[in-house]
Amino acid sequence: MSTIPYDFPDAHGHFGPYGGVFVAETLFGALDELKAAYAAAQADPAFRAEYEYELKHFVGRPSPIYHAKRWSELLGGAQIYLKREDLNHTGAHKVNNCIGQALLAKRMGKPRVIAETGAGQHGVATATVAARYGFECVVYMGSEDVRRQAANVYRMKLLGAKVVPVESGSKTLKDALNEAMRDWVTNIHNTFYIIGTVAGPHPYPMLVRDFQKIIGEECLEQMPEMTGRQPDAVIAAVGGGSNAMGIFYPYINQENVRLIGVEAAGDGVDTGRHAASLTAGVPGVLHGNRTYLLQDEDGQIIETHSVSAGLDYPGVGPEHAWLKDIGRAEYQPIRDDEALKAFHDLCRLEGIIPALESSHALAYAAKLAPTLPKDKILLVNLSGRGDKDMHTVAEKSGIQF
Amino acid sequence: MSRIQQTFARLDGQGRKALIPFITAGDPDAALTLPLMHALVEAGADVIELGVPFSDPMADGPTIQRASERALAKGMTLRKVLQLVGEFRKTDATTPVVLMGYANPIEAMGLEKFAQAASTVGVDGVLVVDYPPEEAAKFGAAMQACGMDPIFLIAPTSTVERIAQVAKIASGYVYYVSLAGVTGSGALNVDAVAERLPAIRAQTGLPVGVGFGIRDAATAARIAAFADAVVVGSRIIEEIEKSTVETACANVRTLVAEIRRGVDEVKK
Ligand SMILES: Cc1ncc(COP(=O)(O)O)c(C=O)c1O
């Protein structure tokens, strides 16, 4: 298979015109400290060994790949394989990154970790590793999300975290991220900010990608074992973009493998009620980096809509912006109703309840598969399980419990 | 000589320090911004920092966040902020106006287009909170091409190298953020600020303004003893919050005049 060179970000965290460090001067001390600590950790084999040990024994890696035979047969085209991140401890890919950052926090001697969360998945994963390593943990969550995701709020509290409802702005994920940054800049001396996706100022997009690329690295080995070759396309949902970068990154230089990111189209991209930043946004600056953003003509960030809280974000990791512009990855919108159909299909046909985020990737695979011959292979990142989404799905189906 | 340079030169000649109050344009509504700006000048402001509201003010504490939200709810935009400055200039041709805000509204308008429009209406300097020196090359060039000053922040955590980097591209004045935190935080240590000033002065001959956490005349006096300018923001916004539309200008005038007296104590 032919390979093409790819070496991003540059030393200042740029992916072409995207990424960078768009933060107030007050944060530079913290970011420089983090960059130095990460560089030292990367050069230390003991750090890598501990990360791998934790992923194996605490998270349960490697996660398997599963051939969704019945579903593929019904769709009547390409074969669909699922990378089972839903089987990880805490139920999603988020924990891979949390382990990596928690080990960094430990190395840096920071006794307190903070995080932002939308649906609560990253908050739960952070609370989990905080309990595991004995850190004080504070999770910022928009007050609107606290109300919508009561079960995850309780889960975080069980794990010993303090959940702080954020009342500013639209009271959702983007505002929680603002508030976590404010906490960090005020408590730099004892606090590590565990960011939940490949966004934020450099080095976060790179660092989170590096802690998630284990997903794709495992696939590189597992796919030939299972199918005798690499897939024709890799498909992943894109909120901030961490599960997608995790599975894409090791495949970037394999030019015969299509990389397809799936964005939340909510009610439909043309309705204005969606979260498809790459499909419908324009480049701008938010949360420390330059990337595609959903904004009004005055440059104010606008509220997003998706049935899946984890995709409900007006920006996207800067590396995705770059992969889109250079044409290495393509980004497709999937509506709420399409994602819900894929959700139910996977439940009924394969006995797997997927997360609503992951259901977007599944829905695109279900669109693409019938257009391809039966010997083609699609690899979908099943980024999480759907237990957390029971309420939402029941509500959408008019069921109360 | 720019209006900002003229202002600092005049104060220098008088042996006085500058007072730079901050308000958010459009808070609590657009109609009050012009009267407030004039009230600030009457109370002794030397430069006005005018906040451009943004939906995601990551570097601001609760007070300025609320001001931003109120202004946005009433429909304030960057375009309207520029119109307000144009109005202000019709009756005040001497007080420098520095816009303070975030990168995205400016980039949405377009850097060059913004710079031209801002200089045309009489803006003197622009501080973009999330443009640190390494991301500010195009911004700095666009500003200077239109004769405006790019203002930059220096923090307690800024290294000597970073201060040197700021010194290379800044003009007008530099703004020393007196604590590691967001705007409006309470924990200001005046002695620690005083200790940091020589490191900044060693790198730049520009006037040094100090802000974040200055809330009263006494603190303003202590800061003015070693800084060239005292910046006061959140405390003024709080005064506006506490006031009605009818009383806001008078209350702000009283507060700022009081802080002015503090700043002028160091004269002699
Ligand atoms: C299961 C799952 N998948 C995907 C996402 C979206 O995040 P990202 O795009 O960073 O993978 C989330 C976020 O909460 C999630 O919980």
Side-chain angles (χ1 to χ4, degrees):
Chain A
M1 204 168 258
S2 59
T3 60
I4 45 173
Y6 179 90
D7 186 18
F8 292 94
D10 69 14
H12 299 289
H14 293 116
F15 303 88
Y18 303 109
V21 194
F22 292 87
V23 296
E25 183 66 25
T26 40
L27 264 179
F28 269 87
L31 290 170
D32 284 344
E33 191 187 333
L34 176 61
K35 266 188 277 185
Y38 182 52
Q42 274 181 311
D44 179 359
F47 180 83
R48 182 80 204 172
E50 190 175 4
Y51 170 71
E52 282 171 2
Y53 182 92
E54 294 290 299
L55 287 185
K56 180 169 178 203
H57 298 279
F58 189 65
V59 175
R61 302 203 73 90
S63 66
I65 287 178
Y66 168 76
H67 183 188
K69 269 194 204 133
R70 294 189 64 213
W71 196 38
S72 304
E73 201 135 299
L74 193 88
L75 291 165
Q79 300 305 304
I80 298 175
Y81 287 76
L82 307 177
K83 176 64 171 168
R84 300 291 309 273
E85 292 299 299
D86 61 316
L87 295 177
N88 291 341
H89 180 41
T90 73
H93 68 292
K94 296 281 179 190
V95 71
N96 303 327
N97 167 49
C98 289
I99 294 277
Q101 293 199 50
L103 292 177
L104 264 184
K106 194 165 74 137
R107 250 185 106 92
M108 293 168 76
K110 307 276 184 185
R112 178 175 181 268
V113 298
I114 57 172
E116 85 293 342
T117 197
Q121 286 310 101
H122 174 60
V124 167
T126 303
T128 299
V129 300
R132 160 79 184 80
Y133 299 108
F135 299 132
E136 179 191 345
C137 179
V138 176
V139 178
Y140 290 95
M141 189 170 187
S143 59
E144 196 51 35
D145 292 330
V146 168
R147 195 181 54 75
R148 289 191 291 197
Q149 309 287 338
N152 268 345
V153 172
Y154 184 58
R155 213 167 275 155
M156 287 183 263
K157 288 182 180 165
L158 278 178
L159 291 159
K162 181 176 161 205
V163 180
V164 179
V166 176
E167 301 287 350
S168 57
S170 59
K171 305 177 175 39
T172 59
L173 176 58
K174 76 176 179 69
D175 310 285
L177 207 152
N178 291 331
E179 205 54 35
M181 282 282 178
R182 292 180 190 121
D183 177 315
W184 196 34
V185 73
T186 311
N187 300 296
I188 282 166
H189 58 284
N190 73 345
T191 298
F192 189 104
Y193 178 16
I194 301 187
I195 221 168
T197 191
V198 285
H202 179 67
Y204 279 110
M206 170 183 83
L207 184 150
V208 175
R209 175 198 73 194
D210 291 352
F211 289 138
Q212 289 291 4
K213 71 181 182 192
I214 183 79
I215 303 173
E217 284 169 352
E218 288 172 4
C219 294
L220 276 181
E221 286 190 15
Q222 292 164 315
M223 285 308 288
E225 283 166 20
M226 282 194 84
T227 68
R229 66 184 184 87
Q230 297 300 345
D232 297 290
V234 175
I235 303 173
V238 177
S242 67
N243 86 86
M245 272 325 301
I247 196 165
F248 285 180
Y249 187 65
Y251 280 103
I252 285 178
N253 60 14
Q254 307 221 355
E255 62 183 347
N256 300 329
V257 180
R258 271 173 80 182
L259 304 177
I260 306 173
V262 184
E263 295 196 292
D267 291 346
V269 170
D270 47 2
T271 66
R273 290 178 53 84
H274 61 82
S277 332
L278 287 162
T279 305
V282 291
V285 173
L286 179 70
H287 292 154
N289 66 86
R290 177 173 282 123
T291 187
Y292 283 82
L293 300 174
L294 294 171
Q295 50 178 309
D296 68 18
E297 58 180 20
D298 294 310
Q300 307 296 344
I301 306 307
I302 55 184
E303 278 179 54
T304 52
H305 295 274
S306 168
V307 66
S308 128
L311 303 184
D312 221 342
Y313 179 65
V316 61
E319 192 161 12
H320 287 293
W322 179 234
L323 291 175
K324 173 189 161 88
D325 280 13
I326 62 173
R328 179 60 193 94
E330 58 196 282
Y331 295 88
Q332 302 287 350
I334 283 290
R335 288 189 315 268
D336 286 355
D337 59 329
E338 297 170 309
L340 282 163
K341 177 170 190 321
F343 173 94
H344 288 296
D345 286 348
L346 207 73
C347 290
R348 293 292 183 85
L349 291 163
E350 299 290 354
I352 296 173
I353 302 178
L356 283 174
E357 292 80 10
S358 323
S359 298
H360 286 71
L362 293 166
Y364 190 73
K367 255 189 187 176
L368 185 60
T371 70
L372 299 170
K374 291 193 171 171
D375 61 347
K376 293 287 178 187
I377 297 173
L378 305 181
L379 174 62
V380 178
N381 196 5
L382 187 57
S383 56
R385 63 174 180 241
D387 307 40
K388 69 183 175 63
D389 297 316
M390 293 299 93
H391 261 282
T392 310
V393 176
E395 207 172 279
K396 291 276 163 192
S397 320
I399 296 164
Q400 271 195 331
F401 48 69
Chain B
M1 226 201 260
S2 75
R3 254 191 297 258
I4 292 177
Q5 284 173 325
Q6 280 171 21
T7 300
F8 279 101
R10 170 177 56 79
L11 288 166
D12 205 34
Q14 299 167 341
R16 297 168 75 217
K17 301 302 180 72
L19 173 59
I20 310 184
F22 169 96
I23 58 170
T24 298
D27 170 39
D29 65 52
L32 212 59
T33 299
L34 264 188
L36 278 171
M37 289 173 79
H38 290 304
L40 293 173
V41 175
E42 284 156 26
D46 298 300
V47 176
I48 294 176
E49 278 188 3
L50 192 58
V52 180
F54 180 47
S55 53
D56 294 80
M58 206 168 79
D60 285 299
T63 306
I64 295 181
Q65 286 174 47
R66 286 196 301 270
S68 248
E69 283 178 20
R70 283 192 296 266
L72 290 174
K74 289 284 177 72
M76 187 47 58
T77 64
L78 179 54
R79 254 169 266 271
K80 290 183 189 165
V81 174
L82 294 177
Q83 282 167 13
L84 282 171
V85 176
E87 285 296 310
F88 176 76
R89 277 282 166 262
K90 286 183 185 163
T91 47
D92 186 328
T94 53
T95 309
V97 175
V98 171
L99 299 186
M100 183 164 177
Y102 291 80
N104 203 56
I106 293 177
E107 293 201 359
M109 182 180 282
L111 266 184
E112 269 91 43
K113 201 173 150 209
F114 162 75
Q116 261 152 28
S119 81
T120 304
V121 299
V123 169
D124 300 281
V126 181
L127 195 174
V128 181
V129 178
D130 48 356
Y131 272 159
E134 40 273 88
E135 303 288 359
K138 280 189 193 146
F139 163 70
M143 294 294 296
Q144 268 150 0
C146 291
M148 287 182 294
D149 292 315
I151 313 287
F152 287 93
L153 298 173
I154 294 174
T157 46
S158 301
T159 56
V160 173
E161 296 75 41
R162 293 195 60 79
I163 298 172
Q165 220 179 338
V166 167
K168 235 184 265 166
I169 56 171
S171 61
Y173 59 94
V174 295
Y175 185 161
Y176 181 68
V177 174
S178 50
L179 47 86
V182 292
T183 52
S185 315
L188 175 63
N189 179 340
V190 177
D191 295 331
V193 177
E195 271 170 36
R196 288 291 293 168
L197 265 268
I200 300 170
R201 297 215 190 271
Q203 303 279 352
T204 177
L206 290 176
V208 181
V210 173
F212 276 40
I214 302 173
R215 304 183 51 81
D216 54 34
T219 315
R222 292 176 64 202
I223 296 287
F226 53 83
D228 302 302
V230 175
V231 187
V232 182
S234 297
R235 179 64 189 87
I236 298 174
I237 310 255
E238 283 171 21
E239 198 63 26
I240 296 172
E241 277 184 331
K242 279 191 284 189
S243 306
T244 62
V245 171
E246 288 74 31
T247 60
C249 284
N251 290 350
V252 165
R253 204 182 289 118
T254 306
L255 171 72
V256 173
E258 162 85 20
I259 295 173
R260 173 84 253 176
R261 278 192 288 279
V263 171
D264 282 344
E265 267 175 34
V266 291
K267 181 188 173 185
K268 64 202 143 206

